[in-house]
Amino acid sequence: MKSGSVVISKRIDKFFLKLNDIYLFVLRFFKEAFLPPYEFREVVNQCYELGVRSLPLISVTGFIIGIVFTNQSRPSLAEFGATSWLPALMAVAIIRALAPLVTALIASGRVASKIGAEIGSMKVSEQIDAMEVSAIKPFRFLVVTRVLATTLMIPALTIYTAFVSLLGSFININQREETSIITFFEQVFEAITYLDVFSSIIKAFFFGFTIGIVGCYKGYTSSNGTQGVGKAANTSVVIAMFLIFVEELLAMQIINAIRFQ
Amino acid sequence: MKEIFSKINHQHQVISIRGLKKSFDDFDVLKGVDMELRQGENLVVLGRSGTGKSVLIKIIAGLLKADEGTVNVLGQEITKISERKLDSIRLKLGFSFQNSALYDSMSVRENLEFPLKRHVKNLSRKEINSNVEMILEAVGLLQAIDQMPAELSGGQRKRIGIARTLILKPEIMLYDEPTAGLDPITCIEINKLINEVQARFHTSSIIITHDLTCAKTTGDRIMMLLDGQFRYNGTFADIFAHTEDERVKLFYDYNFVE
Ligand SMILES: Nc1ncnc2c1ncn2[C@@H]1O[C@H](COP(=O)(O)OP(=O)(O)O)[C@@H](O)[C@H]1O
Ligand SMILES: [Mg+2]
């Protein structure tokens, strides 16, 4: 009979084996990304598929978040008669945290699952093997292109989300406090620093990379037929979201250390 | 039964395997396989499900690594060569997958163009089109050129899968269960196509199957994989006419329930 400790130690072994697998996958990405053939066209395709086609969802979500957060923050400031600070507060909240996080979480839901399902189904239906035997490098064609696309598009989408959220925020403030758009954006730009902007964009690069790598890894290593494809899509989202929160926490520590130096 | 094809060159072996072993975890699948494929022949590999037939051709195509033994394909020891050399061998191999493995997101035309554009540089649009049309014509599916894989039947998908490999003019064809899951009439058509490919494109082929009709119609020679090794080697009649082996009898009886 297996004792409990054996079962646990096997689980731990499995966990570290998996971690090592992921590490090797990331390493392979960096190795293959620099090797020809370079699939520029496919990178552009994927940027469109994964980035541009996320625009409608991101637009609606970003806009609503701008309105809601502004509206919900107003009472706290009103207590101190400080509602005139609302643009500055929202600028900081949106640029530092909301825009990258909301973009990355939405992309986890839409993009990581799409990548996981797409590559997963190609894996279980032997399409990846078919590429391999026709001497077409599937890792470069499927994985490198998608990871590059998410790594490039998430920062771009983040900037866009920030813009739409600020717009939502402005509309709410304009209705209630009758602040003009010029005054609003003057206050916004006064409140944020270069560090805020650059740290958010860099953070978004990491989020994008994470989303691409997780989706590709889960898809590329999926098995067990159609069931495996569903699982790949599903776990891609869960793991990507989890890692994004962990990265957010780490980034906050690092950026604060720089800010208060 | 098939006439022994006159163009087989018995002296020249395009694939030669010695002492090939492969296991997964503790499970021994191939336990010392020896075989060779002669130039121009159709070799049928018979065996029940799970005996390692797919594993065998995946090792030949370099999709799986052998644990032990030598695998010589077109004069190259594929267990030892660099990735670049392996790719140059792969260009001379056509692999027809069990479920066809067509690229879902691409039309039939794009499925065929995909390998062609990547491996034959500087083709004009006209040359690409005429190549694609010629091969589709050869598999009898020119009319499907602008369809998506999802719109095709199982037999049509199989044909397109074969066409996609033929476009690079392979010397060796590997068919993984070409007739599995197809209705009897489609099976006959696919068997016919396999023989046409042999005659028209001068390929040497390994045809993996557990379908005896397919073995009978397409095979110039048949080998039987039993318990991780090849036990029988010969024509259809050699193997099935006077067998004493219960496992072979069983195979025969269940294929021809009359
Ligand atoms: N990648 C793999 N990992 C683990 N086991 C495998 C793998 N591929 C095949 N097997 C096992 O090897 C055995 C032979 O498989 P296969 O070659 O697909 O059989 P078949 O003769 O039906 O084509 C099966 O028991 C299968 O479970
Ligand atoms: Mg098989």
Side-chain angles (χ1 to χ4, degrees):
Chain A
M1 227 178 81
K2 278 186 199 166
S3 73
S5 70
V6 170
V7 173
I8 291 174
S9 97
K10 272 213 167 142
R11 283 233 171 120
I12 293 174
D13 278 1
K14 227 176 145 183
F15 176 77
F16 280 104
L17 273 178
K18 185 126 218 181
L19 222 56
N20 190 51
D21 254 19
I22 297 173
Y23 169 72
L24 292 177
F25 194 82
V26 173
L27 221 61
R28 184 170 175 198
F29 168 80
F30 282 108
K31 211 176 95 197
E32 302 227 6
F34 294 101
L35 294 173
Y38 306 110
E39 307 277 359
F40 290 118
R41 271 183 73 157
E42 187 59 14
V43 174
V44 174
N45 274 346
Q46 292 301 328
C47 281
Y48 180 78
E49 275 297 318
L50 305 175
V52 178
R53 296 189 67 167
S54 298
L55 278 177
L57 188 57
I58 296 256
S59 304
V60 175
T61 323
F63 188 70
I64 292 176
I65 280 189
I67 294 176
V68 170
F69 271 71
T70 308
N71 210 38
Q72 303 290 35
S73 306
R74 182 172 289 108
S76 320
L77 287 183
E79 258 180 59
F80 307 103
T83 43
S84 60
W85 287 0
L86 212 39
L89 175 72
M90 289 320 296
V92 169
I94 287 171
I95 307 279
R96 282 191 193 170
L98 285 176
L101 208 53
V102 165
T103 312
L105 291 178
I106 287 178
S108 298
R110 200 192 99 85
V111 175
S113 62
K114 182 175 158 74
I115 295 177
E118 236 169 30
I119 298 188
S121 74
M122 295 190 73
K123 167 79 185 189
V124 302
S125 62
E126 294 180 308
Q127 292 175 52
I128 290 182
D129 283 342
M131 284 187 187
E132 197 92 56
V133 293
S134 12
I136 294 161
K137 301 285 181 206
F139 196 94
R140 276 165 230 175
F141 184 74
L142 300 172
V143 175
V144 171
T145 52
R146 281 171 175 75
V147 176
L148 285 179
T150 55
T151 310
L152 293 172
M153 291 319 281
I154 299 300
L157 286 175
T158 294
I159 294 170
Y160 175 77
T161 310
F163 180 73
V164 220
S165 294
L166 284 172
L167 213 62
S169 177
F170 163 72
I171 285 176
N172 187 275
I173 290 172
N174 177 261
Q175 272 180 350
R176 299 288 295 269
E177 279 88 20
E178 295 182 356
T179 310
S180 77
I181 192 156
I182 295 174
T183 324
F184 178 83
F185 276 100
E186 265 173 10
Q187 290 193 31
V188 165
F189 286 113
E190 217 165 284
I192 57 175
T193 62
Y194 281 115
L195 179 66
D196 292 332
V197 174
F198 283 115
S199 60
S200 277
I201 291 176
I202 289 168
K203 203 159 65 176
F205 270 109
F206 280 94
F207 290 165
F209 182 76
T210 305
I211 289 166
I213 280 281
V214 169
C216 288
Y217 174 77
K218 288 313 272 181
Y220 218 75
T221 55
S222 64
S223 54
N224 296 334
T226 41
Q227 217 183 349
V229 178
K231 203 176 148 210
N234 190 275
T235 46
S236 294
V237 179
V238 176
I239 295 176
M241 283 190 177
F242 173 74
L243 288 177
I244 283 164
F245 280 114
V246 172
E247 286 168 15
E248 173 70 36
L249 214 57
L250 280 175
M252 192 184 75
Q253 302 288 346
I254 294 169
I255 296 161
N256 277 345
I258 299 172
R259 186 172 290 139
F260 299 118
Q261 219 175 30
Chain B
M1 196 174 303
K2 188 173 174 184
E3 291 285 309
I4 296 279
F5 192 61
S6 60
K7 283 189 187 154
I8 299 172
N9 178 348
H10 291 269
Q11 265 62 56
H12 190 66
Q13 299 177 349
V14 287
I15 296 179
S16 159
I17 296 175
R18 291 284 166 268
L20 171 63
K21 292 186 182 168
K22 176 74 184 176
S23 47
F24 294 102
D25 298 322
D26 299 329
F27 179 48
D28 297 331
V29 178
L30 301 176
K31 310 173 188 170
V33 163
D34 298 316
M35 64 161 279
E36 63 286 318
L37 177 67
R38 295 164 196 154
Q39 191 173 46
E41 79 171 332
N42 274 356
L43 169 65
V44 165
V45 171
L46 275 177
R48 292 179 59 175
S49 287
T51 46
K53 304 182 300 295
S54 298
V55 169
L56 174 67
I57 54 168
K58 282 184 179 169
I59 289 174
I60 292 172
L63 288 171
L64 288 172
K65 290 236 175 316
D67 295 339
E68 263 180 63
T70 59
V71 181
N72 190 298
V73 181
L74 296 167
Q76 300 273 354
E77 183 49 49
I78 65 135
T79 50
K80 298 207 178 70
I81 55 177
S82 67
E83 206 174 317
R84 205 200 199 116
K85 275 234 176 89
L86 177 60
D87 276 347
S88 72
I89 293 287
R90 279 170 167 170
L91 290 180
K92 298 175 187 158
L93 294 183
F95 200 123
S96 161
F97 287 85
Q98 186 168 347
N99 44 31
S100 306
L102 300 183
Y103 306 128
D104 295 327
S105 58
M106 303 181 194
S107 70
V108 167
R109 182 198 294 278
E110 289 164 338
N111 263 277
L112 269 67
E113 284 178 359
F114 191 60
L116 187 65
K117 279 184 185 164
R118 264 143 222 277
H119 295 303
V120 189
K121 298 288 172 205
N122 304 323
L123 282 180
S124 68
R125 184 71 247 174
K126 222 171 140 190
E127 287 169 311
I128 292 174
N129 284 345
S130 73
N131 257 296
V132 168
E133 283 157 21
M134 189 269 283
I135 298 289
L136 283 176
E137 178 90 69
V139 300
L141 268 182
L142 187 53
Q143 75 277 12
I145 190 162
D146 289 314
Q147 279 180 294
M148 295 302 283
E151 300 167 337
L152 303 175
S153 70
Q156 290 176 321
R157 292 171 64 91
K158 197 70 81 177
R159 280 170 191 274
I160 301 299
I162 293 169
R164 188 178 63 187
T165 70
L166 288 176
I167 202 151
L168 292 177
K169 306 203 166 56
E171 293 174 32
I172 299 175
M173 286 294 295
L174 305 170
Y175 297 93
D176 195 350
E177 311 227 2
T179 57
L182 301 177
D183 66 86
I185 295 169
T186 312
C187 283
I188 291 169
E189 288 170 0
I190 295 291
N191 293 339
K192 216 174 120 215
L193 177 64
I194 292 173
N195 285 336
E196 282 167 13
V197 168
Q198 177 189 27
R200 179 162 172 189
F201 296 90
H202 312 294
T203 50
S204 323
S205 312
I206 297 179
I207 300 140
I208 278 177
T209 188
H210 51 230
D211 166 6
L212 288 190
T213 313
C214 171
K216 210 171 173 180
T217 15
T218 63
D220 299 307
R221 186 163 63 96
I222 293 170
M223 292 179 86
M224 202 154 174
L225 193 58
L226 285 168
D227 196 25
Q229 285 182 320
F230 281 115
R231 303 286 166 152
Y232 298 97
N233 179 6
T235 61
F236 192 84
D238 291 341
I239 293 179
F240 290 100
H242 316 286
T243 182
E244 294 298 318
D245 191 325
E246 281 304 319
R247 294 170 300 183
V248 179
K249 275 187 189 162
L250 202 67
F251 211 97
Y252 191 82
D253 292 344
Y254 277 93
N255 256 278
F256 297 101
V257 197
E258 277 158 309

